[in-house]
Amino acid sequence: MKLILLSALLTALSMPGMLWGYLIWIALIPFFLGMRSSRPLGGALKAFLFGFAYLMITHYWELPVLALNVPEVLDSFPNFIGVVVYVLMCLVIAVPFAGFGFVYSIFWSFFQTRKFTGALFAASLFTVFEGLRELGPLGFTNGRLSDALLNSQLGISQLLALGGPLLLVFVVVLVNHYLADLCTRRKGGRISLLVTAVAMVALVNALIQSAIPLRPTDESSEKTLYALQTNISQQLKYYAPPEETLKVVLMGLEEIPEGSTVIMPEATFMSDIRITPTGARLVELAQERNLEILVGFPIYNGENYNQVRFVNGDGFSGEFYAKVKLTPFVEFLPWPKIFGAFEFLKFLDYFDAGEEFAVFSVDGHEIGAQICFDSLYSEVARNLTLNGAGIIVISTNDGWFNIETALQQHFSKGIARAIENRRYVLQVSNTGITAIIDPYGRVLKRLPTINEVNTEYVIGAFQYLPGTQITPYTRFGNWFFFFSLVLGIAIAILGGVFPVKHEDDAKEILSTFKRIVVVGFSKNPDKPSNNVPMYLKEKGYEIIPVNPTMEEYEGMKVYPDLKSVIADGMNLEAVEIFRPSAEAEEIAIEAIELGARAVWLQKDIRSEKARKLASERSVLYVEDKCMYVEHRRFFT
């Protein structure tokens, strides 16, 4: 279990705003080492604990939000309830990992001697369950393995334009699983292996990144949007009259050049302002300065929407974009009969999910706007692009988050959306990160957050080139999910249901494994149970002697039984048994149950039960053969 928790920690530390994104290329190695030899239920539990731990660490910033910030502002539940909700949230979003662990543990043994096939299967399976993690009313995509690449590895991240986040997840798992298998086959030099692997990934990333086109400088096609980032506290938003917010907004708008198009944050106002003095004053200023202003506020017309729409001198537009991906429990209550007790988590009100991906045609701009939580899902930006958006705008209120990590993780989703669709993405936030990202994920300009400059608002002009390209991902969506599903099923059928039979398991064992556990090792050099393993030691194999009557032999530690070998931190690779048939059968079965990848019974020793169990578990199996003779036959 230590390996599982270590992997969870390393994975979390690779996420945006944490430690180092390149950790993701080795973070899953302890996880896959810990999953070896697990039974399905045990594998499900291990994978669930991995998901729970890494998602809990990744989203540590949610704890002060739920336990301090929200109770302080809304006064709707005590602080300790926020802690309980945080734990329950992590438990729920970790459930898909249990499914992966269950299925992986069923099929793992079928691929234990075929490194690349096993890595392909693990990557396909993990990708499928990662795809399932975003489905349904409780779907959640933050903390994906692909997120680790978004801030520091823009070269490899270009794969997003081909297959979206799931393609990156597949590649990350493939590399980790393959490296985990290599680690089990090496006696030493594992650290150098991992360092070399990360260095190679960094080199590949640098080579791809060097090929990314420079930003065009065609000023004739360049367009400008202005962002008005407000720095208004949640207390003021919820309890002060809208006129207080209006004062800040008007001061900011007065500084923006006349005739401009302005983007403002989500829920700039916390009530419908269309037929209020606040709305009338906003229209008046828009008319005075000839402004087109995208502003966010809720509306209640039979259906409740968290929406954004434009306002100009003629009033509020009839066209609007309503948030499609609502935040569970905060903006809607999933499955009320089950989760009705959690209604106290409601923020402003419950909303209906939008169904239209409206693109605003305003003053020469084709603006695809999305709101806050929408940016976590590729679907929204993709549909806006297909509907003709030349730029994607993310209007968000990050006023609940006091920790920079939360802002970085949210902003990184905009980087993914930009690359996926080859569109500029402009995020405009209340108190959070306001910045523009080019179609290759490069952050071109960023305004200071409230933690960096203590002002009521910040204004910025952002230039962009309207996009027209349709990427494979934009056109075909999550095709890689179905590819992974088909690939995983095919590998399971060909390698699991109908496993490949090796023509000569003896040669396979001697070629594949460099660590041999010798049960029945003798201190008498005249016996085969001594001279055979010592011969193999001379040929470069690592010999692990097992004999309950010995403690040491020629500098080698001698173990009393197989469980002691595992307890000392070593996996059972090949197990050679020098015991009479009656004892050998029991030892062989124990070795297989403990996860041995190959079992070898010496000359004149056979076991029908062990042979059958090895076949069922796809464990390489040899009986009635001398390892010395076979080694000389194949390699001398």
Side-chain angles (χ1 to χ4, degrees):
M1 202 59 70
K2 291 179 181 178
L3 289 173
I4 301 297
L5 295 178
L6 172 62
S7 189
L9 176 62
L10 292 174
T11 304
L13 291 177
S14 70
M15 291 294 119
M18 299 293 274
L19 184 61
W20 191 42
Y22 278 97
L23 280 176
I24 197 62
W25 297 103
I26 58 174
L28 298 178
I29 292 175
F31 170 69
F32 286 119
L33 293 178
M35 287 290 292
R36 289 174 182 267
S37 307
S38 297
R39 293 181 178 276
L41 290 179
L45 177 61
K46 288 180 180 179
F48 175 78
L49 288 176
F50 163 77
F52 174 71
Y54 113 70
L55 291 171
M56 177 174 273
I57 299 169
T58 297
H59 298 100
Y60 76 93
W61 45 267
E62 283 277 16
L63 184 57
V65 171
L66 292 169
L68 297 175
N69 301 357
V70 174
E72 179 183 340
V73 174
L74 301 183
D75 195 27
S76 56
F77 56 87
N79 301 81
F80 80 90
I81 292 295
V83 178
V84 174
V85 170
Y86 168 68
V87 174
L88 290 176
M89 176 194 77
C90 295
L91 287 171
V92 170
I93 61 179
V95 168
F97 291 92
F100 166 79
F102 185 85
V103 179
Y104 178 80
S105 298
I106 292 174
F107 289 96
W108 170 79
S109 62
F110 299 145
F111 310 108
Q112 58 181 318
T113 61
R114 301 189 287 280
K115 297 188 292 292
F116 191 69
T117 305
L120 279 175
F121 177 73
S124 300
L125 185 64
F126 197 102
T127 301
V128 168
F129 278 95
E130 182 60 37
L132 295 176
R133 191 157 74 91
E134 71 176 89
L135 301 180
L138 294 178
F140 190 67
T141 68
N142 201 54
R144 271 185 164 162
L145 303 184
S146 54
D147 292 357
L149 282 65
L150 294 175
N151 285 348
S152 59
Q153 302 169 61
L154 287 183
I156 298 173
S157 294
Q158 300 309 309
L159 289 173
L160 288 165
L162 176 62
L166 295 183
L167 176 55
L168 288 184
V169 170
F170 181 92
V171 173
V172 167
V173 176
L174 181 74
V175 170
N176 273 271
H177 196 281
Y178 192 79
L179 289 174
D181 200 81
L182 289 180
C183 285
T184 63
R185 299 168 190 267
R186 294 172 71 102
K187 181 179 179 181
R190 292 172 181 167
I191 299 298
S192 61
L193 169 67
L194 301 184
V195 171
T196 301
V198 173
M200 290 179 64
V201 171
L203 177 61
V204 170
N205 179 75
L207 290 173
I208 299 174
Q209 196 160 331
S210 67
I212 295 176
L214 297 175
R215 182 171 180 261
T217 56
D218 183 5
E219 295 185 2
S220 63
S221 301
E222 198 170 65
K223 297 181 181 294
T224 299
L225 291 174
Y226 278 83
L228 174 53
Q229 172 186 300
T230 55
N231 291 326
I232 301 173
S233 70
Q234 297 301 87
Q235 286 279 9
L236 184 63
K237 275 183 167 291
Y238 272 84
Y239 297 113
E243 289 77 18
E244 294 298 316
T245 297
L246 181 64
K247 290 178 183 177
V248 176
V249 170
L250 293 180
M251 286 190 294
L253 292 175
E254 289 282 0
E255 297 182 20
I256 293 175
E258 294 185 7
S260 300
T261 301
V262 186
I263 310 298
M264 295 180 62
E266 169 197 19
T268 304
F269 298 95
M270 302 296 281
S271 59
D272 190 342
I273 61 171
R274 288 176 295 175
I275 54 174
T276 67
T278 297
R281 181 67 187 98
L282 195 60
V283 171
E284 181 182 347
L285 181 69
Q287 185 178 44
E288 292 172 0
R289 302 187 59 78
N290 189 27
L291 298 176
E292 296 280 353
I293 308 167
L294 183 70
V295 60
F297 55 88
I299 60 172
Y300 306 94
N301 291 333
E303 292 183 315
N304 302 344
Y305 291 123
N306 179 357
Q307 58 92 59
V308 292
R309 70 178 67 206
F310 271 93
V311 57
N312 57 26
D314 295 327
F316 290 88
S317 69
E319 185 180 28
F320 63 91
Y321 170 80
K323 189 175 182 180
V324 173
K325 296 294 185 179
L326 299 173
T327 309
F329 302 104
V330 171
E331 294 180 302
F332 81 102
L333 187 63
W335 300 313
K337 291 184 179 180
I338 299 175
F339 295 112
F342 291 91
E343 190 172 357
F344 62 85
L345 290 171
K346 177 175 64 177
F347 280 13
L348 181 62
D349 210 332
Y350 284 149
F351 295 105
D352 298 294
E355 298 178 353
E356 301 293 330
F357 298 94
V359 174
F360 299 102
S361 297
V362 177
D363 196 24
H365 304 279
E366 298 294 330
I367 299 173
Q370 54 185 29
I371 300 173
C372 192
F373 202 63
D374 281 335
S375 68
L376 272 65
Y377 300 86
S378 303
E379 170 195 347
V380 180
R382 174 176 170 264
N383 278 285
L384 290 170
T385 303
L386 289 173
N387 284 352
I391 183 173
I392 303 297
V393 166
I394 301 170
S395 178
T396 182
N397 173 23
D398 288 342
W400 294 106
F401 310 127
N402 299 330
I403 298 176
E404 181 70 18
T405 303
L407 304 180
Q408 290 288 346
Q409 290 183 9
H410 188 192
F411 180 68
S412 69
K413 295 297 186 179
I415 295 175
R417 306 295 84 87
I419 299 172
E420 287 166 359
N421 301 288
R422 291 289 186 240
R423 292 293 186 273
Y424 282 81
V425 170
L426 172 61
Q427 176 170 297
V428 181
S429 177
N430 175 56
T431 77
I433 296 175
T434 296
I436 193 164
I437 307 157
D438 83 353
Y440 295 92
R442 295 171 291 205
V443 181
L444 302 180
K445 181 179 179 180
R446 179 181 180 275
L447 300 184
T449 67
I450 191 173
N451 296 325
E452 297 165 338
V453 55
N454 188 19
T455 59
E456 292 182 306
Y457 61 89
V458 183
I459 295 169
F462 295 92
Q463 287 73 39
Y464 75 95
L465 293 171
T468 57
Q469 179 182 352
I470 299 296
T471 67
Y473 181 73
T474 304
R475 186 177 302 280
F476 300 111
N478 279 335
W479 66 269
F480 199 78
F481 171 84
F482 299 100
F483 173 83
S484 297
L485 181 62
V486 172
L487 179 62
I489 292 173
I491 294 175
I493 292 174
L494 297 177
V497 179
F498 304 111
V500 176
K501 299 295 183 182
H502 297 282
E503 292 183 1
D504 198 325
D505 282 358
K507 185 175 182 179
E508 178 75 13
I509 291 172
L510 292 168
S511 301
T512 302
F513 304 107
K514 295 303 179 184
R515 175 188 295 158
I516 301 174
V517 179
V518 181
V519 181
F521 182 88
S522 173
K523 61 184 177 182
N524 186 346
D526 294 328
K527 290 187 174 183
S529 52
N530 178 285
N531 55 47
V532 171
M534 295 308 290
Y535 162 80
L536 294 169
K537 187 172 185 293
E538 291 177 1
K539 297 301 181 182
Y541 292 87
E542 179 187 6
I543 300 301
I544 309 296
V546 174
N547 188 324
T549 66
M550 300 170 60
E551 294 184 358
E552 186 268 343
Y553 183 84
E554 293 190 6
M556 296 185 295
K557 181 178 179 180
V558 181
Y559 293 86
D561 51 40
L562 292 175
K563 291 182 179 178
S564 300
V565 176
I566 296 174
D568 207 20
M570 288 182 284
N571 292 318
L572 298 182
E573 294 187 356
V575 177
E576 183 183 19
I577 301 173
F578 285 92
R579 300 302 298 159
S581 294
E583 296 180 36
E585 179 174 275
E586 183 178 341
I587 296 169
I589 292 173
E590 180 189 19
I592 295 170
E593 294 288 356
L594 290 174
R597 302 169 69 183
V599 172
W600 189 304
L601 276 59
Q602 270 298 116
K603 188 70 175 173
D604 299 323
I605 304 176
R606 300 180 180 86
S607 170
E608 184 177 346
K609 287 184 179 179
R611 187 189 320 116
K612 181 179 179 182
L613 181 61
S615 177
E616 292 173 354
R617 301 286 180 88
S618 290
V619 173
L620 295 175
Y621 182 82
V622 173
E623 61 182 14
D624 192 21
K625 286 186 178 181
C626 175
M627 198 173 274
Y628 168 83
V629 173
E630 297 303 308
H631 186 274
R632 289 183 61 84
R633 180 163 73 94
F634 292 125
F635 304 107
T636 301

